[in-house]
Each structure stands twice: as C-alpha cells, then as structure tokens.
Amino acid sequence: MNQFKLTAIALAAAQIAFMAGAANAQTAQGNDTATATVVVTGQRASLENAQKIKQNADEIVDSIVAEDIGKLPDKSVTEVLQRVVGVTIDRTMSRGDPEHYSVEGSGVSIRGLSYVRSELNGRDSFSANGGRSLNFEDVPPELMAGVDIYKNPSAEQIEGAIGGLVNLRTALPFDFKGAKVSASIASTYSELKKGKWSPAGSILASNRWKTGIGEIGALIDIAHAESGTRTDAFQVEPYYPRSDIVNGKTVWVPKGAQWRTLNFNREREGFYGALQWKKDANLRSHVTYFKSKYEMQWDEQAIFASSSPYNIRVSPDATYGPDGRFLTGTLTSPSDGGINFGDDTRISNRKSDTTDIAWNIEWRANDRWTFTSDLQRIKAKTHSLDSTVATGVQLPEQQLDLTGSLPRLIFNDAQRAYIADPAHYYWNFTMEHMDRSVAESKAWKGDAKYTFDHPVLRDLRFGLRFTKRDSTNELSNPDYNWSAITATWMGDISHLAYLSDPRFAGNTHLGTFNNFFNGKQSVPSVVFPNVSLAEGYPASYEALHKYHDILCAEYYAAKGQPANCAAWTPAKFGGDPAGINEQSEKTGAFYTQLRFGWDDVKYPIDGNVGVRYVKTDMEAHGYTVFNNKAPTLVPGYTVVGPAIPNIPASNSAQDYENSYHNVLPSLNLRMKARDNLQFRFAAARAISRPDFKDLQGYATVTQDADVTTNHGTQTHIVNSLTQNGEAKGNPLLKPIQSDQFDLTGEWYFGRSSSLTVALFHKRLKDVIVNQTYNYPLADVNGTMYNFSVTGPVNGAKGRATGIEIAYQQYFDKLPGALSGLGVQANYTYVDSSTKLYKDAFTTYCSGGTGPDNINLNQNGCDTDGRSFGNLPLQYLSKNSYNLALLYDYGKWSARAAWSWRSKNLQGINVNGTRGSDGTNTNPNSPDKGATNVGWALPTWADAYGQLDASVSYQVTDKMQVVVDGQNLTDAKYKQLMQQGIGLMGRAWFVSGRRYSAQLRYAF
C-alpha cells in the first residue's frame, strides 16, 4: 500500500529545476553567450527560464540554473543533479566499498546507467580518478550558472555519453548588462557531529567596457566551502547455514554484529575567470580559466566481528524465523576463547584539483558563413593515503535482537566494563593503501555553420575535433596491504601483544560514541588506536610491527633456537610496474549536421539529422609477469600427452596498441501540435569508452603441468597442462555501444507550468564484464600459444527501457498570498536486463573469490555455496521520484523537496560481504560439507528518501537571507545483503540533520 501511494504521488511528476540567470542568457547549447541579459531572481522566474530552455532546445534536455549567480539550490552539484527527472545518485563514498556513507552523495546515473559524460561549458571535462568524467562532488556549485542534462545526443555533441551528458555552465561577462557584484557568506551545522559550524563564502565581480578595439568584459568568481559531517552505523555480518545448532534443522546464524562512527571533513575551493572581447557583431572571442580544488579527510572508529562462523554457539533460548534465520539470542565462541572482534582506527585523506583553460573565437564571415575555433587544455591530479591500525578483543558473548527496524545489541554493566578495559585488547593489524593519478588533455575543435535562405533548410553544421589525452594512475602494491601485528594463527609467537603488557601499552584511547544515532542508541565504549598511528605511516607501522618481532624473538629463545622472524614489509609505491597504469589516447572526429523545418504545414516539424565519425587510437604501457611452474623435461625422453611450450619465466615491459572507429548517426525531430504542445522523436547511436582503470596492461600468467616420469622407459607422461592468468585490465577493450530511442510529449500550459512525458529505450552491446579471454605468448621459437586469462572483456549485452513523467505549476489563480504556491514533481521508471555472451552460471559455486571465479563475480554466491543469478544492472533503481512544494510571494521564497529512489544493486563481491569459508552443499561434490567455498553476496541499497528545505527573505533589493535544512526527517540509509533466506539487513547509516544560514548581497 505504501508503494502504491508513493507511485501515485510520483505519477504527478515533474523535474526540480531551480534556475535563474538572465533573460537571453546562454542557451543550453552554450552557442550564443554574447547577448545582454536581464537579472532574474526567485525560484519562479528561474523555473520559467528552465522551461524555455527545454521547450526550445534542439535535443531532449533538462536544465537547472542558479536562481542568481552562485545560487544553485543545493550544497553540491551531485545533490542538484538528483532533482532532475531520470537522474539518481549513490549514497556511498565508493562503488567498490559500500561500507562508507557519503552525506552529499557520489556517483551519478542517468536513466539507470552509469555511463555518464561530463562537460564544462560544452567542453569535455574530467577528474583524475581513472575514469572519464568529473567527480561532481569535487566541483564548487557556487561557480555554476547552470547545469544541462542531455538525454539523447546529436551529431555535433562530443561522443561518449550513453546514459546522458551533464554540462556544467559558468557565466561570461557579457551575460550582464554592465557591472555585477555578488557575494555570499554561509555556515553549516551538523546536528549529529555537533561542534563548530562549517563556513563557506563566494564572491563574483564582473564588468564590461567599450574601448577603441571593441567591447571588453572581465569576470572573476571565487568560492570556498568547508563541510564537517558524521555518520553512525550498525552492521550485521552475513548469515551462515548451521546444522549443528538445532537438532534436525538448518538455521542461519551471523557471526556477530557491530557498530562504527565516521567523522568527515571536506574543504572545496574554486576559482573561475573569464575575459571576453567583441569587435562587432561579426567577431568575438573569450578566454576562460577554471580551477577547482578538493581536500577531504575522514577518520573512522569501527568494531567488527572477525571470528570463525562455525565456532559460534547460540544460547538455547534463541529464536528463529520460519525460514530458519536467527532472530534473538546470545552468541558465544568457547573454542576460540570468545568472539573475536577487530577494533580499528582508519583515516583517509585525498587532495584533488582540476585546471581547465579554454580559448574560443567566433567569426561571422558573412550572412551565410560562421566559423568557430575552440582550444582547451585540462590537467587534473589527485593523491590519497588510506591507513588503518587495529586492536583486537575477544568478547565472552554477544546478545542480539534482530527483530526491529534497527539491530539491538544488548550489554549489561559488566560486559560494558569488560569492553572498556584496555587490558583485554591486543595489537591486531595494519593496512595501508596509496594512490596518485595525473591526467592531461589537449583538445581543439573547429566548427563551421552555413545558414540557408530556404523555406525548409535552416543551416548546415560541420566540424573537426582532435584530442590527445594522457592518464597515469598509480596504486600501492599490494593495493590494500593487510598485515597482521599479532594473531592467534601465527606460528612464531606464543601469545598476543596485549596492552596489559607495559611494553605494548599506550597509543590508544577509549572511543565513547557520544550522541550515537542522535542519542537514540547506546553502544559500549571501545579501546581504539590513536588517530596519530594511522596518520603516522610508515614510521608508526614499523614501530607497531616490532611488537611482533619482540614476541617472536622470545618464542625462539625459549626453544633455544635462532630467531627466524619475518620483518614487516610496506606496500610498494612508486616505480612498481604492478601498480602503474599508463595510457595515451588520441581521437579525431568529424561531424556534419543539417537543421531543417517545415513551418507552413498544419503541424510544424523541425529537427536535425547528422552523423559523427570518430577514430580512437590507444596506447598502454604495461607489464607481463610469466611464471613457469612446469617441471623441466629430460632431453631425449619421449613425451606423451600435450606438449609443454618452452617459455622461460620472465618479468617484462609490454606496450599495447588499440585502434577503432565508430560511426554515430543521430536524428532529432519535433512536431508542434500547438504553440504550447509539442512532440519529439530522437534516435541515435552512442558509445562510452572504457575507463582507463579497465585498460591497464598488466597481466600475471602462469604455466603449470602435472607430469609423471618413467626413467626406465625414458618417458614423460603429461597428465595435465594449465595455462592461465589474471589481468588487471585489458588494453584491447572496445567501447560500449548503444542504439537508443526517445519519444516525448511536452505540454507547456503556462509560463512556468508544464507536463512532459518521455519514453526511452537503449539497446547496449559490448558491456564490459570480467571473463576469460585468450592471451597470446610466444615460446623460444616464436610459436604463439593462447593462455586463458581472466580480466575485463566486452562480454555482455543489455537494455534499459523506461518512462519519465514531469509536472510543474504555480497556482496563480489562488487568492492573495496563496498564489505563491507551486509544485514540482517527477517520476522515473526503468526496467533493465543483461545477458552474457558466454554464460557462466552454475547452480553450485566452487573456487575462490578472485576475478577468475566468473560465476561468483557475475551471479553471486551464498554462504551455502549456491549461486544467485538473474541480477539486474548495477546502480539502477526501477522507481525514483522527486516532489517539491514551492512558495514565492513578495519577499518570501521557500522550498521543501523530497527525493526518493527504490532499492538498487550496489555490487557483487564487495568489501564486507565476501569470504572463502562458504559451506559446500553440492550433493555431487566429493568435498560436500567442507567449508572452503568462495562466496560473495549481492549487496543492495534499500529504498531511500530524503527531505530538504529552504526559506529565504529578501531584506532589500540587494540583500537576501537564506536558511536551509538537509535531511530534515533524519532518514536512515539501509543496506541489504541477498541470501537464500531473503534480503537481509546488512547496515544502517544515519548522518543527522544539517542546518545552514546564508547572507547574500548583490548589486
């Protein structure tokens, strides 16, 4: 019933589009930036301008423009995008690590697809993240004049967007009639984190002058914003099948539950400058400089179960659901001396910046011909340290109640005192990760437009574009280098490095989890390593691992033997080929596009048809490691069975080249049934190139053989020959391709009122998945052999089909102040499917958790060794909607905006929901009953909705006060893990409410 109500509301749907700027401002295409503009303020006026852009655009586009310069309606570009029909955002910091929540959102999907390309002022833009698009959360929203989201491309647009294209627009000096100054100061407070407020501010100054060489304009825009937030979380470990707990019945029991808190601090800076020159109506030029800097650091204190699931015992009073899942009871682990928990302090910091310089010149040669040249250079870089230091503790027992909306972890006073006592803790492990990336691109495009004097033909556009892009991404090796300090399984120590030993004491603190879940939950205090230990890598790691060396030396001394203690080795970083991904890409494109229209028919029709041709040349500098484990055959012996190639073991640099071309036709048609009613049809072919992280040319290849030798008969019998390996990437990948179709109906029944419907269908091929492919290697004679290597391949096809409905209106006919009421709503439905070119599904799982286990990585495997299969596209919600109530009357303006999306698959084989100790339940396996099967649960984000609101008051014509509130309902973000007994609760996150106050001044 609740879902029915939500859908019923959503079917009244309309995009959130808070736009202002100026009359005659830049169009969504960004082609006519030189016309003078009139400053427009207020949500209502911006909504009207947004509607004009959508109605008059050649393509299917939705837009958001700042209510005034520097006044986008949300705290980040990512949050702004979620208001647009068809757009959804993730709520985790990384798609590969769903254990960490992102308050401002992260990855963007359009129409359920993550193949999203980003632009800045119509030019390709990106972050140095191993991908091809911007991290939108890195971009200062205060610098933006507007955002355009294109749903289906035209030939003149840069290739690369299948899901959609997000174009960020900044202002130019000629957008204003004359001098313009705008400034704001703001501060934000996090209810959960408490403490100090986070400041923010921006200032824009622009002017234009008439000189002897023409008109000149200059604009400078500076922004600075800080953000401090906190996230609290509960987690429940995956459930394991147990037949030794309840007689005659299999029950499913987790190995524990845990809690954590994360403090996040972000500093974002931006600088934008523009110079504009216009000699006359025929010659104009502008230069822009854009720089964004992003710095963040978070520290987390987390306790997590790390015990053996099969040693867990359950109290006799425990209760179970009808499907056998554990509901309530007390867990113990007597054979382990308690339930083993890790208690870590983890810090992560990142610094990123992107610099974009562009020069555009436009020359109108005569009434027919217009020529444009555009030159751009981008340089982006980032570097990061992720560091974890952990203690460990063994809890005698843990009482759980998993029947409510949140897990209840029940502790008595004695148990709380036990957990708070440092004497019960020991030094457990360290883990470091480092990365750095640099990406640089140079691009030039030249366009020509010929305008017809013809009743049907409007203009012919054609142009060239050339780019050169270099990308170097470097990771530590091992990527996340987990190293035990002391552990029970170590064979060279007799006991652990407990804090009760004065030699190992200190460098810890008692984490008290104050205000946990906004004071609604109470959890025990835990002894954690100090943050300085995580920040002090590598010196702090080296000191901690010497605790092991002390105990190891004692162990061998007691045995009267010389010490044989392996020293701690940090991860390699810098110069290690296994961690370096170096790419170079050149593209050349040509397009031609004809615009046409029939104005004198009963139902006028206009549109454009075109084709874009693009050639891509890739180079990857990589490395191949070949391990030859096959035994050496005696010369002259007879060999029975497959021949073993003579390939010496080697580590060698290897360069790869890949070249492909694509022909991308497009058609956009519009029919005007009336002045306020129109229909569109669009068809196009689009591509999305592989991310650079998927193109890494590093592979580890191994040859092994099982050989029986009979020296009496001088015979080698080769029983089996294995030639396989693992690739971190595949430099020979092709782009994903989509044939896509759109049909829309748009009714504009008022200056800021509309109802629009869009149907879309995308057919995808060459979707990138991990599977096996042939990897050629030559023996000493030059004969080539194909090895079976697991890595990214173009291995699947798919589709995404759906509908978007959008509605917006102000109720002008209501009396008095009620006439300021308005509503916006939108609803999106997307259905998807994928099909592997080579099906890997098996009913029962086998193997480990590595990339070579295709069934596990594509279909998921449960802890009972059964596959799932039939999984949808990742990050795709079938249903999503936005609903906003608006008010604009006199000096008052207000908005209450609710954004909601249904559950979506976050990933398979991701951190926290995978392991290698699944139970083998295959009845045909000789190993049935063993607990050595690799498992990986599909992890889902549950349905989530969030309410934000703002109120502003125009104190004077120049001054405005704004108060904002985010997440006013204090919503919980829930994650699910798919198991055979259903979708189980994995994690519950809360980030609390945030409030901000802002003062704006403009003249």
Side-chain angles (χ1 to χ4, degrees):
M1 178 59 77
N2 288 337
Q3 182 63 43
F4 173 80
K5 291 178 180 178
L6 293 174
T7 304
I9 293 172
L11 285 171
Q15 72 194 56
I16 303 295
F18 298 101
M19 316 175 29
N24 299 324
Q26 287 176 284
T27 64
Q29 295 93 331
N31 294 328
D32 189 3
T33 61
T35 55
T37 64
V38 178
V39 175
V40 179
T41 60
Q43 294 178 129
R44 189 168 186 158
S46 65
L47 199 61
E48 181 180 329
N49 287 340
Q51 183 168 297
K52 288 178 182 177
I53 289 179
K54 183 177 179 67
Q55 184 175 4
N56 298 328
D58 287 347
E59 298 86 12
I60 298 171
V61 61
D62 293 292
S63 295
I64 302 170
V65 177
E67 182 183 325
D68 193 2
I69 204 70
K71 290 167 59 176
L72 279 178
D74 288 286
K75 299 301 179 185
S76 71
V77 173
T78 311
E79 290 178 304
V80 168
L81 287 170
Q82 73 173 324
R83 313 294 183 192
V84 178
V85 64
V87 180
T88 54
I89 65 172
D90 296 341
R91 290 284 176 179
T92 56
M93 292 185 185
S94 167
R95 284 177 164 171
D97 181 13
E99 290 193 304
H100 297 99
Y101 182 79
S102 175
V103 173
E104 292 184 350
S106 55
V108 173
S109 297
I110 300 178
R111 292 177 166 178
L113 301 176
S114 58
Y115 313 122
V116 175
R117 197 173 66 79
S118 54
E119 290 184 347
L120 180 65
N121 295 322
R123 306 176 185 98
D124 200 23
S125 190
F126 52 83
S127 301
N129 55 8
R132 292 187 175 273
S133 63
L134 282 168
N135 290 331
F136 292 110
E137 58 269 30
D138 295 1
V139 180
E142 297 87 355
L143 301 185
M144 296 299 109
V147 183
D148 307 314
I149 298 92
Y150 291 87
K151 305 294 183 65
N152 207 332
S154 61
E156 67 178 328
Q157 291 177 323
I158 302 169
E159 72 285 344
I162 288 179
L165 162 64
V166 177
N167 179 37
L168 308 179
R169 288 187 285 112
T170 55
L172 288 172
F174 291 173
D175 290 346
F176 310 106
K177 281 186 174 182
K180 171 73 174 180
V181 176
S182 176
S184 70
I185 56 172
S187 192
T188 302
Y189 179 77
S190 169
E191 182 184 67
L192 184 63
K193 187 174 185 180
K194 298 187 180 296
K196 68 177 183 177
W197 290 63
S198 301
S202 66
I203 184 168
L204 174 143
S206 177
N207 207 349
R208 54 195 295 179
W209 306 270
K210 291 184 178 180
T211 72
I213 60 171
E215 189 169 9
I216 295 176
L219 181 151
I220 293 177
D221 197 356
I222 302 171
H224 175 90
E226 298 177 17
S227 177
T229 60
R230 187 179 116 185
T231 303
D232 294 339
F234 282 116
Q235 288 181 312
V236 174
E237 288 293 299
Y239 293 68
Y240 286 78
R242 299 287 300 276
S243 58
D244 58 340
I245 300 293
V246 179
N247 289 333
K249 183 179 180 180
T250 296
V251 295
W252 293 71
V253 180
K255 63 180 181 181
Q258 53 239 8
W259 58 100
R260 59 176 63 196
T261 192
L262 182 148
N263 289 288
F264 177 88
N265 292 283
R266 180 262 296 156
E267 189 171 325
R268 189 164 53 205
E269 297 178 352
F271 176 84
Y272 169 67
L275 291 174
Q276 201 166 6
W277 170 75
K278 179 173 68 173
K279 180 183 179 183
D280 50 36
N282 298 323
L283 183 62
R284 64 184 65 177
S285 181
H286 67 263
V287 176
T288 59
Y289 176 90
F290 180 90
K291 187 176 186 67
S292 65
K293 297 179 68 176
Y294 176 88
E295 183 175 351
M296 74 85 184
Q297 174 156 333
W298 55 259
D299 63 84
E300 178 189 52
Q301 283 74 46
I303 180 170
F304 51 92
S306 57
S307 54
S308 169
Y310 302 102
N311 290 343
I312 293 291
R313 310 312 301 171
V314 184
S315 59
D317 62 349
T319 62
Y320 305 90
D323 51 11
R325 74 178 72 182
F326 172 89
L327 297 178
T328 64
T330 301
L331 308 181
T332 57
S333 186
S335 61
D336 293 328
I339 306 173
N340 200 34
F341 278 81
D343 321 278
D344 73 35
T345 291
R346 179 176 178 180
I347 64 101
S348 180
N349 59 61
R350 178 171 299 281
K351 293 183 179 180
S352 305
D353 69 69
T354 299
T355 304
D356 184 307
I357 304 173
W359 175 38
N360 178 279
I361 184 167
E362 182 182 306
W363 175 44
R364 188 182 179 196
N366 52 45
D367 291 343
R368 294 283 182 265
W369 285 99
T370 302
F371 300 94
T372 304
S373 171
D374 198 273
L375 185 64
Q376 179 199 26
R377 177 183 178 269
I378 300 176
K379 187 166 185 179
K381 57 185 178 180
T382 186
H383 62 90
S384 173
L385 168 67
D386 192 318
S387 174
T388 304
V389 177
T391 52
V393 65
Q394 290 176 296
L395 300 187
E397 61 183 26
Q398 184 175 51
Q399 186 178 354
L400 300 177
D401 182 348
L402 305 181
T403 60
S405 60
L406 283 174
R408 287 185 61 219
L409 283 60
I410 303 166
F411 300 91
N412 59 36
D413 291 342
Q415 291 167 337
R416 289 175 180 269
Y418 182 95
I419 299 173
D421 187 350
H424 297 129
Y425 288 77
Y426 61 92
W427 290 103
N428 195 355
F429 69 86
T430 62
M431 183 176 67
E432 76 271 21
H433 158 87
M434 290 161 286
D435 67 68
R436 60 177 169 234
S437 299
V438 177
E440 184 174 6
S441 173
K442 299 174 183 177
W444 174 83
K445 70 172 183 174
D447 298 282
K449 181 173 73 173
Y450 180 80
T451 304
F452 295 99
D453 182 12
H454 191 274
V456 175
L457 303 180
R458 302 282 170 81
D459 61 57
L460 177 67
R461 306 178 185 190
F462 54 91
L464 297 167
R465 182 174 184 264
F466 299 99
T467 73
K468 183 180 186 299
R469 181 169 172 181
D470 299 304
S471 173
T472 301
N473 302 281
E474 189 167 2
L475 301 174
S476 52
N477 181 33
D479 190 3
Y480 284 87
N481 184 34
W482 189 94
S483 300
I485 300 173
T486 58
T488 55
W489 46 263
M490 287 181 163
D492 57 0
I493 58 176
S494 58
H495 61 273
L496 304 175
Y498 275 92
L499 299 179
S500 55
D501 188 327
R503 297 174 298 174
F504 312 132
N507 284 320
T508 62
H509 69 280
L510 189 65
T512 56
F513 296 96
N514 294 327
N515 196 39
F516 196 70
F517 270 64
N518 263 326
K520 298 174 184 177
Q521 301 291 324
S522 176
V523 293
S525 300
V526 175
V527 176
F528 291 110
N530 289 338
V531 173
S532 60
L533 290 178
E535 294 175 333
Y537 173 86
S540 58
Y541 280 37
E542 192 170 353
L544 288 172
H545 283 280
K546 285 182 178 178
Y547 296 166
H548 163 267
D549 299 344
I550 292 171
L551 294 176
C552 179
E554 289 180 352
Y555 174 82
Y556 282 105
K559 288 177 168 263
Q561 299 175 0
N564 183 23
C565 307
W568 170 75
T569 303
K572 297 179 182 177
F573 189 61
D576 180 24
I580 298 176
N581 178 15
E582 189 175 1
Q583 309 280 333
S584 180
E585 176 185 275
K586 295 179 180 178
T587 71
F590 169 79
Y591 81 89
T592 181
Q593 180 171 295
L594 176 66
R595 295 176 69 245
F596 52 84
W598 290 270
D599 294 331
D600 298 329
V601 296
K602 182 178 180 181
Y603 300 114
I605 295 176
D606 61 12
N608 62 67
V609 61
V611 64
R612 187 177 188 88
Y613 170 82
V614 59
K615 186 175 186 295
T616 306
D617 296 305
M618 291 286 305
E619 290 183 2
H621 305 291
Y623 209 75
T624 299
V625 177
F626 178 73
N627 301 309
N628 193 349
K629 296 182 178 180
T632 302
L633 303 184
V634 179
Y637 277 35
T638 301
V639 178
V640 179
I644 301 176
N646 184 6
I647 307 176
S650 63
N651 300 333
S652 59
Q654 186 166 349
D655 293 335
Y656 301 84
E657 293 184 356
N658 188 17
S659 181
Y660 52 86
H661 62 90
N662 300 93
V663 178
L664 308 173
S666 65
L667 171 68
N668 287 275
L669 294 174
R670 176 176 61 171
M671 183 185 74
K672 295 182 179 179
R674 296 195 305 265
D675 287 343
N676 63 354
L677 179 63
Q678 62 187 32
F679 300 89
R680 297 180 187 267
F681 173 76
R685 174 165 291 174
I687 61 169
S688 181
R689 293 186 181 92
D691 285 342
F692 288 103
K693 61 182 176 59
D694 291 327
L695 293 167
Q696 184 172 358
Y698 185 92
T700 302
V701 186
T702 302
Q703 175 175 271
D704 201 356
D706 178 21
V707 179
T708 301
T709 301
N710 188 324
H711 294 288
T713 60
Q714 297 188 336
T715 302
H716 290 301
I717 301 174
V718 181
N719 302 308
S720 64
L721 176 66
T722 57
Q723 297 172 320
N724 53 33
E726 177 184 332
K728 291 192 173 183
N730 182 355
L732 303 181
L733 288 172
K734 299 181 294 184
I736 304 162
Q737 182 173 296
S738 173
D739 291 328
Q740 43 200 49
F741 307 91
D742 284 72
L743 181 65
T744 75
E746 304 168 11
W747 178 31
Y748 301 98
F749 56 90
R751 295 180 61 184
S752 56
S753 302
S754 64
L755 175 64
T756 63
V757 179
L759 304 173
F760 59 89
H761 176 70
K762 298 176 186 285
R763 293 201 305 258
L764 285 73
K765 72 173 186 178
D766 293 333
V767 176
I768 296 171
V769 296
N770 270 353
Q771 284 201 341
T772 56
Y773 62 95
N774 290 331
Y775 191 95
L777 284 177
D779 67 6
V780 292
N781 300 315
T783 303
M784 302 301 297
Y785 293 86
N786 281 328
F787 284 67
S788 181
V789 168
T790 302
V793 299
N794 298 105
K797 61 182 179 179
R799 67 162 182 86
T801 305
I803 182 173
E804 298 171 346
I805 306 172
Y807 161 73
Q808 61 189 30
Q809 184 178 11
Y810 274 90
F811 303 105
D812 303 309
K813 295 183 180 180
L814 292 176
L818 293 178
S819 62
L821 288 172
V823 65
Q824 293 176 300
N826 65 54
Y827 168 75
T828 306
Y829 172 83
V830 187
D831 184 52
S832 70
S833 64
T834 56
K835 184 176 182 180
L836 297 172
Y837 294 158
K838 183 171 68 174
D839 190 9
F841 180 82
T842 59
T843 303
Y844 291 94
C845 305
S846 60
T849 58
D852 58 323
N853 193 335
I854 306 300
N855 179 46
L856 176 140
N857 286 287
Q858 296 299 324
N859 300 299
C861 290
D862 205 349
T863 53
D864 68 349
R866 293 178 179 266
S867 301
F868 294 103
N870 296 320
L871 298 174
L873 286 172
Q874 292 185 23
Y875 323 122
L876 185 149
S877 290
K878 275 196 171 185
N879 298 282
S880 61
Y881 73 86
N882 289 279
L883 179 63
L885 299 178
L886 310 175
Y887 186 76
D888 284 278
Y889 189 80
K891 295 184 177 183
W892 290 96
S893 181
R895 174 192 74 158
W898 173 262
S899 183
W900 181 91
R901 66 180 298 191
S902 61
K903 71 176 187 292
N904 64 94
L905 178 64
Q906 290 184 305
I908 311 166
N909 201 6
V910 296
N911 189 48
T913 50
R914 61 186 176 192
S916 56
D917 55 0
T919 301
N920 186 344
T921 59
N922 185 352
N924 299 316
S925 172
D927 206 22
K928 182 184 178 183
T931 56
N932 57 2
V933 175
W935 57 272
L937 306 182
T939 304
W940 297 72
D942 202 2
Y944 179 78
Q946 181 169 308
L947 177 66
D948 305 320
S950 66
V951 178
S952 66
Y953 180 73
Q954 198 74 35
V955 181
T956 69
D957 290 343
K958 298 177 180 179
M959 183 182 296
Q960 185 185 45
V961 176
V962 183
V963 177
D964 292 311
Q966 293 85 44
N967 190 21
L968 293 179
T969 58
D970 194 17
K972 291 192 295 288
Y973 180 77
K974 184 179 179 182
Q975 287 178 338
L976 307 168
M977 50 189 174
Q978 185 173 344
Q979 298 204 247
I981 50 176
L983 287 172
M984 314 299 293
R986 162 61 180 166
W988 295 257
F989 297 92
V990 296
S991 58
R993 302 174 182 88
R994 290 182 296 153
Y995 305 100
S996 64
Q998 184 178 51
L999 177 65
R1000 298 170 176 169
Y1001 190 83
F1003 61 91

